[in-house]
Amino acid sequence: MVLLGFVAVAIPAYAAFNWIVASTVVQLGTLFAEKQILYDRYRGLEALMREVSLAETLAGSQSIRDWARDETDPSAKARGVAELEHFRRSFADHSYFFVIGASGNYYFNDAANSYAGNQFRYTVSADNPRDAWYYSTVGLGSGCHLNVDNDANLRVTKVWMNCVIREGRQVLGVLGTGIDLTNFIQEVVNVPQVGVTSMFVDRQGAVQAHRDPDMVDLRSLTKEMSAKRTVFSMVDKPVDQAALRQLMEQVSSGQANAMSKFMTIGGKETLVGVGYLDKLGWYNVTLMDIDAIIDKRLFVPIGLLLAAVMGMVATVLVLGFKRQVLDRLNRLERVVDSARRGDFAPALSLDSRRGDEVDRLSVAFTEMAATVSDNTRLLEDRVRERTEELERLAFRDGQTGIANRRGFIAAFEAARPEQQHGLLLVDIDHFKAINDTFGHAGGDAVIIEVARRIGEVVDGKSVCARWGGDEFIVLLSDSSPHLLRAAAYGVIAAVSGQPVTMPDGRKATVTVSAGACLIEHGDSIEMATEMADAALYMAKDDGRNRVHILDPVLSPKPPGRVASRA
């Protein structure tokens, strides 16, 4: 039993241990997630912010603005191209593009200086879907905007820094540079870490950088939201998608630098961390498989040590418990057996010098055994008396104290068959009117008084009972026609002879009607009460306050009642 107790304790202890391990893993994973997010955030900023800063500086150049205002001016163009070429050598990709707003002319040069002296490549058009990125960027307002785009004309896929040049409300043009997507992912996103997947997404959740090129949402500026490859599509449950959106809103509002939450991705619980690159308008999202990052098997030695300690403690407790409790309880059991047989000597000779619980239990148990035997006999006597009292109550009417229907049936069945008996069925006249006039308390007083008066009239050998409601029934022993008649009229006279005093002091004259019949040998109680009931019906029909004795030959029972017996 002790071992089973330890097993019962070990089960919740094991659950608690797992909970502690899981909580520790979650805490460590959350801390790791936030640190990872900050690491990715600054790693991404370092790679992009330099390019953005250069592009913003170039967009603010006076030479560029002068050329954009008057593209046909040869000297302005020469200074503008020289400025572009100067910055091309500083850009990491050693390339640039410039679209002049007035004409839509697109100028470009790459790292190999392939288009030296011939930087004009084509003219953008609102009717060309491939140029939709330009018009989308113009609509975003001043400043630099990042976009992953596949330029079909130049057959180049890059992360573009698109800087809008404005003068008041007029758009002078859009210029910028790009970083090759492969190099960008290699430098920022594709750092190998076990269980960690990093990506950058824009404000709408469209994937802008991922170690898997197929996950990157190319041309995200020109797509409808429903067609974009978003980070939300990676999350299994709608509730987690809403939670991810909330995390993104919180970090972008400046509530925290990084936040994380567990979500279901690909059917597995994954810790998702979110940070915000405010300068770029991107979010860096990191997915962490905690089981892969933190191996729970590291906690196995601790668990085995705890199990071994619990096993040793259980063994010591079992041995101590057997010696101090079980062996002594076995001796006590033998003493109890002796006491059960009436031999209390072993109990009196028990060694109780220790005075502990087992010793006190031994002495108390012996004394209790003798006391229990006496109390058991006393209890049995009281139960028997109470049973007899309940049986008596079962055959008595609680209101009047005379026999009830059950008591009358028992008396009828016990009547001597060799004697002829008479049966009276008595009903109070106009009892409803008495209740209506004097209330139910008055009605109860009438029932009690009528029962008392009937009981005084009949002899001690007869049985008077309450048949139900305001009906009473009397079984006359050793009766005859004239004795039956005398008893019936005696009841009528006893009830109507004196008014009944009500609880409020008023007087009420009460009458009864009675139906009587002689019971022949072999008549059942149903037959006898049916004949008396028929006689009572005739007495009521004749005007009440009278007796009708049924002669089964001359006065057959009427087929049915047509009048009230009230």
Side-chain angles (χ1 to χ4, degrees):
M1 292 301 297
V2 175
L3 290 176
L4 288 177
F6 264 88
V7 171
V9 172
I11 292 175
Y14 176 74
F17 178 75
N18 278 341
W19 178 81
I20 292 173
V21 170
S23 300
T24 303
V25 169
V26 169
Q27 293 293 330
L28 292 176
T30 303
L31 181 61
F32 177 83
E34 295 179 357
K35 297 298 181 183
Q36 181 69 31
I37 286 296
L38 294 176
Y39 172 65
D40 288 343
R41 181 171 183 263
Y42 290 111
R43 185 174 57 180
L45 284 173
E46 183 181 4
L48 296 176
M49 283 306 297
R50 177 180 177 276
E51 301 302 301
V52 172
S53 298
L54 288 173
E56 287 178 341
T57 303
L58 178 61
S61 171
Q62 190 62 42
S63 299
I64 297 297
R65 290 178 175 271
D66 291 342
W67 182 23
R69 291 191 193 98
D70 187 3
E71 186 180 4
T72 60
D73 184 352
S75 62
K77 178 178 180 181
R79 291 194 302 272
V81 171
E83 189 78 352
L84 289 174
E85 289 296 324
H86 173 72
F87 273 83
R88 180 178 68 82
R89 289 187 289 272
S90 299
F91 286 136
D93 192 55
H94 301 298
S95 65
Y96 65 82
F97 72 88
F98 180 35
V99 182
I100 296 179
S103 63
N105 291 334
Y106 183 98
Y107 295 86
F108 176 80
N109 201 358
D110 58 14
N113 200 21
S114 303
Y115 306 101
N118 189 26
Q119 286 87 349
F120 171 71
R121 306 312 307 148
Y122 61 91
T123 301
V124 297
S125 172
D127 297 329
N128 188 349
R130 297 174 179 176
D131 297 331
W133 68 269
Y134 168 74
Y135 297 97
S136 298
T137 302
V138 169
L140 294 177
S142 300
C144 292
H145 309 279
L146 274 71
N147 178 43
V148 179
D149 190 21
N150 180 24
D151 192 315
N153 290 302
L154 300 179
R155 298 180 181 180
V156 176
T157 301
K158 291 186 176 183
V159 178
W160 294 100
M161 292 78 171
N162 303 325
C163 299
V164 181
I165 306 171
R166 287 182 178 271
E167 191 170 75
R169 294 187 177 181
Q170 180 184 4
V171 176
L172 297 179
V174 175
L175 63 75
T177 185
I179 299 178
D180 184 83
L181 187 61
T182 304
N183 294 332
F184 175 75
I185 294 174
Q186 183 64 33
E187 293 177 6
V188 179
V189 180
N190 204 28
V191 176
Q193 296 183 81
V194 177
V196 178
T197 301
S198 298
M199 69 188 78
F200 288 95
V201 303
D202 63 13
R203 289 181 177 272
Q204 294 180 318
V207 179
Q208 301 297 308
H210 194 283
R211 69 177 58 177
D212 181 2
D214 294 335
M215 295 296 297
V216 178
D217 188 57
L218 301 178
R219 303 177 64 85
S220 59
L221 277 177
T222 60
K223 281 189 178 180
E224 295 294 332
M225 188 60 202
S226 59
K228 294 186 177 183
R229 300 174 187 171
T230 67
V231 67
F232 305 113
S233 63
M234 302 179 189
V235 182
D236 295 351
K237 300 177 181 178
V239 64
D240 288 340
Q241 295 176 3
L244 180 56
R245 294 181 190 275
Q246 185 176 10
L247 290 181
M248 294 171 67
E249 292 174 1
Q250 290 173 341
V251 296
S252 62
S253 64
Q255 297 182 27
N257 289 330
M259 301 188 71
S260 59
K261 185 179 180 62
F262 277 94
M263 302 179 187
T264 304
I265 297 179
K268 188 173 184 179
E269 283 293 306
T270 303
L271 187 60
V272 180
V274 180
Y276 183 59
L277 284 70
D278 51 344
K279 299 296 183 181
L280 308 178
W282 281 6
Y283 298 90
N284 56 314
V285 179
T286 303
L287 311 181
M288 284 155 285
D289 183 355
I290 298 299
D291 292 336
I293 298 172
I294 303 175
D295 192 352
K296 291 184 178 180
R297 289 177 297 181
L298 297 173
F299 296 92
V300 171
I302 300 176
L304 293 177
L305 178 60
L306 292 177
V309 171
M310 289 184 65
M312 293 176 60
V313 172
T315 302
V316 172
L317 287 179
V318 167
L319 294 176
F321 189 76
K322 180 179 183 301
R323 178 182 176 85
Q324 297 296 326
V325 179
L326 296 182
D327 293 344
R328 296 170 67 191
L329 287 179
N330 285 333
R331 291 195 297 271
L332 177 60
E333 185 179 7
R334 292 193 293 270
V335 171
V336 172
D337 288 337
S338 299
R340 188 182 296 115
R341 295 191 299 269
D343 182 10
F344 296 99
L348 298 176
S349 62
L350 280 175
D351 182 9
S352 58
R353 288 177 298 178
R354 295 186 182 181
D356 59 12
E357 290 81 358
V358 177
D359 285 340
R360 294 197 296 271
L361 177 63
S362 301
V363 176
F365 202 89
T366 302
E367 296 174 353
M368 183 183 65
T371 305
V372 167
S373 178
D374 295 337
N375 290 340
T376 299
R377 287 193 297 270
L378 179 60
L379 182 61
E380 289 175 350
D381 293 340
R382 290 182 178 178
V383 169
R384 182 168 55 255
E385 293 172 0
R386 182 61 177 165
T387 301
E388 293 174 354
E389 181 182 355
L390 290 175
E391 289 177 351
R392 288 193 299 272
L393 291 175
F395 291 93
R396 289 286 171 183
D397 179 58
Q399 186 176 23
T400 61
I402 62 177
N404 57 16
R405 181 185 288 260
R406 186 184 293 108
F408 181 82
I409 294 174
F412 185 91
E413 294 174 349
R416 298 173 62 181
E418 67 273 9
Q419 293 181 350
Q420 188 175 42
H421 301 278
L423 188 68
L424 292 179
L425 192 59
V426 181
D427 184 80
I428 300 175
D429 295 331
H430 304 294
F431 184 71
K432 184 177 183 302
I434 294 173
N435 268 335
D436 294 341
T437 303
F438 300 98
H440 289 290
D444 293 342
V446 169
I447 288 175
I448 294 172
E449 182 61 20
V450 170
R452 186 188 67 78
R453 295 181 184 184
I454 294 175
E456 291 178 348
V457 172
V458 299
D459 57 40
K461 297 180 180 179
S462 301
V463 178
C464 176
R466 187 177 181 183
W467 193 240
D470 59 337
E471 281 189 335
F472 300 89
I473 193 167
V474 179
L475 179 64
L476 301 172
S477 62
D478 198 14
S479 185
S480 61
H482 69 278
L483 292 175
L484 179 63
R485 182 178 297 276
Y489 280 100
V491 168
I492 295 292
V495 173
S496 60
Q498 294 291 333
V500 177
T501 302
M502 296 297 173
D504 59 2
R506 291 184 290 174
K507 303 287 186 179
T509 300
V510 179
T511 62
V512 296
S513 301
C517 67
L518 287 173
I519 303 173
E520 300 294 336
H521 179 68
D523 286 351
S524 64
I525 188 171
E526 290 81 6
M527 184 181 296
T529 54
E530 188 175 354
M531 291 189 295
D533 193 55
L536 176 61
Y537 169 79
M538 295 176 185
K540 291 281 187 180
D541 199 45
D542 289 343
R544 296 180 175 81
N545 193 24
R546 63 192 66 230
V547 175
H548 190 92
I549 300 174
L550 181 67
D551 185 336
V553 177
L554 300 178
S555 302
K557 186 183 76 169
R561 301 287 177 89
V562 295
S564 171
R565 277 188 359 207

